[in-house]
Amino acid sequence: MRVVSGIQSSGKLHLGNYLGAIAQHIEMQEKNECFFFIANYHSLTTIQDPKLHIQLTRDVALDYLALGLDPEKAALFRQTDIPEVTELAWILSTVTGKGLLERATSYKDKVAKNISPSMGLFCYPILMAADILIYRGDVVPVGKDQVQHIEMTQDIANYFNQTFACDILKRPEPKLGVAPLVPGVDGQKMSKSYGNTISLFDPPSKMRKRIMSIKTDSTPVESPKDPEQCNVFAIYKLLATEDKVADLAKQYRAGGLGYGDAKKALFEAVEGQLGPAREKREQLEQDADYVEDVLRTSANRARSVAHEVMSEVRTACGLATIRD
Ligand code: TYM
């Protein structure tokens, strides 16, 4: 099976990115052909400081490698190293109705937050469709917030195939993991744009402080509490082992457990998962050449697939170039 997914380089990656997407990616690299990319064309819709953008792009690569992406098994590359993607996006935009894009909830959310929309933001789902269709991805492992974009990708593939009477573009399926919607410190979806994230690789003291800031209610320590109503437990249950989750739930219900203790348990669970990766990341940070080499080698692999598919796409549309 061919697996394709991307992550924007628009800020520090957080627990939502890891539990919703990256953990699935790392698991899937074992048995599938995987293409994972840093969606830096997409993040240009929000990051327009060039130095920062270079840094954030590199950070996503470091995070992925530290978390266990094995470049021998999976390709990890920059979206911008595959220029065919933007070429395909243009072609797809000619078969996609404006109405489809107007229905995108992530676009509507941003407009509702008074973000003045650029054409790039409006056309974001078309670029995302190009990202997936250019590798003929079978499956796209993502968090719940991206499912509508994958469904749009399915529609866009159909529009293209119908318009040009062909079967070149493959309809992908979304895949959700065990944590499709990780809540943030305020209980809403964890998201860079809501300012409610727990970053993956902050120093332990900062991470602890952030976890201590998770919103809880004012139930006194001695009173029994419903774990299912608590933001701390909501994250804990996505991270800890089944036994530990059952044990903490019991303590909530029994009373006598303060939210401070629950937060401490969460901090330990997060550190247990991310502590070793943080150390690996620090080592990788010293080896910029290695990271760059991984990105380039992977891009070459991805580009040979993209080149082939684009050639077929151009032929189907009657577009000749000197590259074919
Ligand atoms: P992005 O960069 O916002 O998020 C990257 C991945 O993390 C998932 N995610 C979450 N999962 C669970 N709970 C959360 N709170 C949470 N927050 C984020 C996202 O669902 C995503 O899987 N448009 C995409 C990037 C992209 C892409 C693609 C993805 C560009 N091209 C092609 C798949 C295929 C985005 O903005 O993800």
Side-chain angles (χ1 to χ4, degrees):
M1 213 161 52
R2 189 172 280 167
V3 178
V4 176
S5 200
I7 295 196
Q8 288 197 75
S9 45
S10 55
K12 284 187 184 178
L13 296 193
H14 53 72
L15 270 182
N17 298 132
Y18 175 57
L19 297 170
I22 299 176
Q24 293 197 72
H25 301 171
I26 306 286
E27 197 187 316
M28 292 182 91
Q29 72 182 348
E30 299 303 331
K31 293 202 176 128
N32 303 282
E33 185 187 10
C34 294
F35 292 87
F36 301 127
F37 55 88
I38 305 163
N40 54 349
Y41 276 134
H42 277 108
S43 45
L44 196 59
T45 59
T46 50
I47 303 291
Q48 293 178 331
D49 170 338
K51 278 198 187 133
L52 176 65
H53 209 179
I54 289 171
Q55 175 66 44
L56 291 174
T57 303
R58 194 173 149 264
D59 281 349
V60 176
L62 285 170
D63 290 354
Y64 251 121
L65 292 167
L67 290 165
L69 183 127
D70 180 348
E72 299 292 323
K73 296 179 180 159
L76 174 67
F77 53 98
R78 283 175 290 247
Q79 187 185 31
T80 41
D81 282 333
I82 318 295
E84 287 81 0
V85 164
T86 46
E87 186 182 355
L88 181 58
W90 171 256
I91 293 175
L92 297 178
S93 77
T94 66
V95 295
T96 303
K98 195 164 150 265
L100 184 83
L101 301 179
E102 277 162 350
R103 288 196 289 278
T105 48
S106 72
Y107 173 76
K108 287 195 277 190
D109 282 353
K110 287 190 174 133
V111 173
K113 279 208 216 88
N114 287 329
I115 294 175
S116 154
S118 63
M119 282 310 292
L121 191 64
F122 184 66
C123 296
Y124 187 109
I126 299 185
L127 181 57
M128 192 162 152
D131 281 332
I132 299 166
L133 299 173
I134 200 134
Y135 308 113
R136 291 205 173 104
D138 296 297
V139 172
V140 189
V142 283
K144 195 162 172 243
D145 59 335
Q146 295 300 319
V147 169
Q148 190 194 28
H149 289 151
I150 317 293
E151 289 166 356
M152 288 178 154
T153 301
Q154 296 173 337
D155 290 343
I156 293 173
N158 287 346
Y159 300 151
F160 179 88
N161 289 342
Q162 277 163 17
T163 304
F164 296 104
C166 66
D167 201 16
I168 295 173
L169 299 183
K170 183 161 195 171
R171 222 182 118 90
E173 293 299 329
K175 181 178 171 296
L176 296 179
V178 288
L181 207 167
V182 179
V185 295
D186 57 358
Q188 290 188 78
K189 184 193 95 164
M190 189 177 288
S191 164
K192 290 164 206 160
S193 47
Y194 297 166
N196 64 357
T197 61
I198 298 174
S199 298
L200 290 177
F201 294 117
D202 276 342
S205 57
K206 200 165 169 197
M207 174 88 86
R208 178 191 288 269
K209 222 168 145 192
R210 192 66 176 146
I211 288 175
M212 288 299 169
S213 78
I214 296 175
K215 242 194 199 165
T216 47
D217 62 27
S218 53
T219 315
V221 172
E222 57 286 0
S223 306
K225 301 172 184 66
D226 179 0
E228 297 306 332
Q229 299 301 320
C230 176
N231 293 331
V232 182
F233 189 80
I235 304 177
Y236 186 80
K237 71 179 180 189
L238 301 173
L239 274 160
T241 59
E242 235 175 83
D243 288 355
K244 287 196 164 171
V245 173
D247 183 50
L248 191 68
K250 211 166 128 196
Q251 293 183 55
Y252 266 82
R253 293 195 179 97
L257 175 88
Y259 287 123
D261 295 325
K263 289 174 181 177
K264 233 170 106 190
L266 175 60
F267 172 71
E268 275 157 23
V270 172
E271 266 304 290
Q273 288 223 3
L274 298 179
R278 186 189 292 110
E279 277 175 32
K280 190 167 169 201
R281 195 182 188 285
E282 280 161 13
Q283 288 164 14
L284 285 164
E285 249 183 312
Q286 308 305 317
D287 204 348
D289 288 350
Y290 167 74
V291 177
E292 185 57 32
D293 192 50
V294 165
L295 296 176
R296 283 174 187 235
T297 309
S298 293
N300 285 335
R301 264 161 69 193
R303 202 160 176 206
S304 68
V305 178
H307 181 81
E308 222 173 86
V309 174
M310 262 325 288
S311 213
E312 288 183 38
V313 164
R314 279 190 223 105
T315 305
C317 306
L319 294 170
T321 75
I322 52 169
R323 284 166 285 158
D324 297 313

